[in-house]
Amino acid sequence: ILDREGKVTAEKEMQPVSGVSSLGDNRISVYAEVLVKDPYDGEFDYIDYSEGLFDLSLNEIIPLGRYLNVYRAYNYATGIEEKFDYICAGRYTGNNTRWDIFTMDGKLIIENLNEISQIGPKYLAVVKGFSAGLIDYEGNWLVKRSIFDTLVDD
């Protein structure tokens, strides 16, 4: 990592990096090619892209290879960009994306969300499994409804 004057502030040997983005609060997202393990036999199967979360000394907080997307939690619904001290990380499981929510220090606090519809300062509007509603940042449901309308819903 270089500062604005071009001086090296941190360095680390890792797989070829395609991009680096600042997430604020001394956190960066690193985007790189990684070898992906086949979930069935555990062997390295193919090369894909992945993002990881690092601090400015390049200490790994959320490892490369686990998530396809890693970004800061923002709310754009009010028309004013609000950022929150949480990280959203998306991974593919078969044909679906699952989302996990982390603290800025990499502590997993909510996992396996099907969808994040809205992010607020105290809650998230989510779909998890066959339920939809509001969940707080400790993983507790505040409002929970079935995604089905009837017992014979398609």
Side-chain angles (χ1 to χ4, degrees), residues 3-120:
D3 65 14
R4 294 185 187 273
E5 287 78 42
K7 178 183 168 201
V8 175
T9 60
E11 60 184 304
K12 179 177 184 171
E13 188 173 316
M14 59 176 59
Q15 57 264 36
V17 171
S18 301
V20 176
S21 299
S22 173
L23 301 181
D25 295 320
N26 298 318
R27 298 293 184 260
I28 58 172
S29 168
V30 174
Y31 185 70
E33 290 183 355
V34 295
L35 285 172
V36 177
K37 286 186 179 183
D38 184 298
Y40 301 105
D41 63 16
E43 298 295 320
F44 288 111
D45 195 34
Y46 57 94
I47 295 176
D48 203 348
Y49 288 93
S50 177
E51 280 189 82
L53 182 68
F54 294 78
D55 65 17
L56 293 181
S57 297
L58 293 177
N59 296 310
E60 201 169 52
I61 298 170
I62 298 174
L64 277 166
R66 190 175 299 166
Y67 294 97
L68 185 61
N69 301 324
V70 173
Y71 63 89
R72 182 86 179 246
Y74 281 93
N75 178 13
Y76 299 98
T78 62
I80 300 170
E81 181 180 288
E82 295 178 86
K83 70 178 179 178
F84 302 111
D85 291 335
Y86 299 99
I87 298 295
C88 301
R91 58 187 158 74
Y92 286 126
T93 57
N95 293 329
N96 300 307
T97 303
R98 293 290 186 257
W99 295 94
D100 297 337
I101 308 295
F102 292 86
T103 65
M104 295 295 285
D105 294 324
K107 178 185 173 202
L108 178 64
I109 53 174
I110 304 171
E111 63 183 327
N112 215 24
L113 299 172
N114 300 49
E115 180 182 325
I116 303 170
S117 301
Q118 189 61 257
I119 297 173

Side-chain angles (χ1 to χ4, degrees), residues 132-152:
L134 300 177
I135 197 167
D136 67 17
Y137 285 100
E138 294 179 4
N140 302 309
W141 285 97
L142 305 172
V143 176
K144 183 178 180 181
R145 302 281 186 257
S146 172
I147 61 171
F148 302 110
D149 290 331
T150 68
L151 293 177
V152 292

